[in-house]
Amino acid sequence: MSKVIKGGTLVTHDRSWTADILIEGETIAAIGENLKGDEVIDADGAYVIPGGIDPHVHLQMPFMGTHSADDFESGTLAAAAGGTTTVVDFCIPAPDGSLLEAWEAWDAKSKDKAVVDYCWHQCITGWNETIFDEMAEVVKRGVNTFKHFMAYKGALMVEDDEMFASFRRCAALGAMPLVHAENGDVVAALQQQLMADGNTGPEAHAYSRPPEVEGEAANRAIMIADAAGCPLYIVHVSCEQAHEAIRRARQKGMRVFGEPLVQHLVLDESEYQDKSWDHAARRVMSPPFRNKQHQDGLWAGLQAGSLQVVATDHCAFTTEQKRMGLGDFTKIPNGTGGLEDRLSVLWTYGVETGRLTKEEFVAVTSANSAKILNMYPRKGALLVGADADICVWDPKAGKTITAANQKSAIDYNVFEGVKVSATARHTLSRGEVVHSVGANAEPARGRGKFIRRDPFPPVAEALQTWKALTAPRKVHRDAANMPAGV
Ligand code: URP
Ligand code: ZN
Ligand code: ZN
């Protein structure tokens, strides 16, 4: 049965025009005027945009002694409700652990639950010959990005030599490294000092992670990538110091990409000064929210193109989980939600304010991620032959965000009370309506597909021999510090 989306204005990253879209099965079959289909989807007065891609989420992530509360079911339902049709998670092995074992775990928790499409970045949590070998298999299976945590010392953090070896391997495989850029040693020292001085509350989380620790790590990762001869993607860029490093690298001709989060664009550090412990702890994430100057810099980066995508790093914990850190801020599980609200909040604070054009909005919410992660034009495009991942975006249907109406499993929303001016009227994932305002779409759990992302051309065959030069080494990672189940 075919479908036709009628009456809307199509908006892509490069243009806007009036047309209908005909969908046959899972793909876009035609774009033009007066198209006919078996079923009509009303886009009157609305924009029709590629379904959102959130390049950074953590669903059922084992972390800090617990698991993030949204799994692939509630997380992807939240995505669909907000107009997002592809989520990119992070597959995290045990310290120094097997990538393929982690792959099996991520496959098991996603495949029967996801209602929109998904894939993941592979995390590197150590360095040894098995990891070296398994990276090739991971690429063969359709993951072309490898994530490195420069923070979370004693748990997920990797050392510089491990990162360099892994970056070289990425270059050889045609893969791209990602980094969480914060200097984990400095954070650990500041945490210790703050706790010793009696600063145990959530506000100390922000004091322990000043912009300098992020800027230093971003600069270091960029230099290591340059030495390794590979591109680099820096996740959750929150401050001017990191942004400046990215700008400078790009000016030099390096392929360095920067990803701010919608939370960092809109929420600021004053959240941590709230009188309510719960309020502040619910907003504990790394890097923490910053001040207005940093926010202005991030917006400018999106406008100028020095920052390319807007993600959420959706890693939602309930209030009860956050209370694991009562009396010790270092034990508050790090992470916030946002997957359901990303498009609405970005439209309201970005497009409605005149900071972004609607085409730029599409670029940073879908097309750029699709290109950078090698899913374009299957995803992120309105083109014949592309997956019919489409959002009918209603710029007049505002709402007030509240946890009471959200799909996410947690009991609060960091955007509670925020009035947004636009929402998703319909969300289609590969041609199927997975969300419709006023109708209770119940997409089948497990209908979401794993999306393969093929490698880019490898940098040099000669680098395949790097294995011989990379002796495995012992880094102290205490299993006790690791999240349960990792
Ligand atoms: O605080 C955060 N960002 N939690 C999720 C894990 C990560 O660092 O991305
Ligand atoms: Zn991170
Ligand atoms: Zn993350």
Side-chain angles (χ1 to χ4, degrees), residues 56 58 61 63 147 149 152 180 236 284-287 313 315 334-335:
H56 186 161
H58 301 278
M61 177 197 189
F63 193 40
K147 161 85 176 289
F149 289 93
Y152 308 128
H180 168 137
H236 48 46
V284 162
M285 66 165 302
S286 298
D313 191 6
C315 187
N334 285 202

Side-chain angles (χ1 to χ4, degrees), residues 209-244:
R209 311 181 98 99
E212 289 72 21
V213 305
E214 187 181 341
E216 185 281 327
N219 275 287
R220 181 159 37 102
I222 287 168
M223 293 303 158
I224 292 174
D226 208 4
C230 63
L232 180 69
Y233 180 119
I234 303 186
V235 303
H236 48 46
V237 175
S238 75
C239 65
E240 179 53 20
Q241 285 84 338
H243 179 199
E244 187 271 336

Side-chain angles (χ1 to χ4, degrees), residues 393-412:
W393 185 247
D394 192 335
K396 297 262 186 305
K399 68 169 187 183
T400 302
I401 293 176
T402 174
N405 296 336
Q406 73 189 9
K407 301 282 183 198
S408 168
I410 63 170
D411 55 317
Y412 62 93

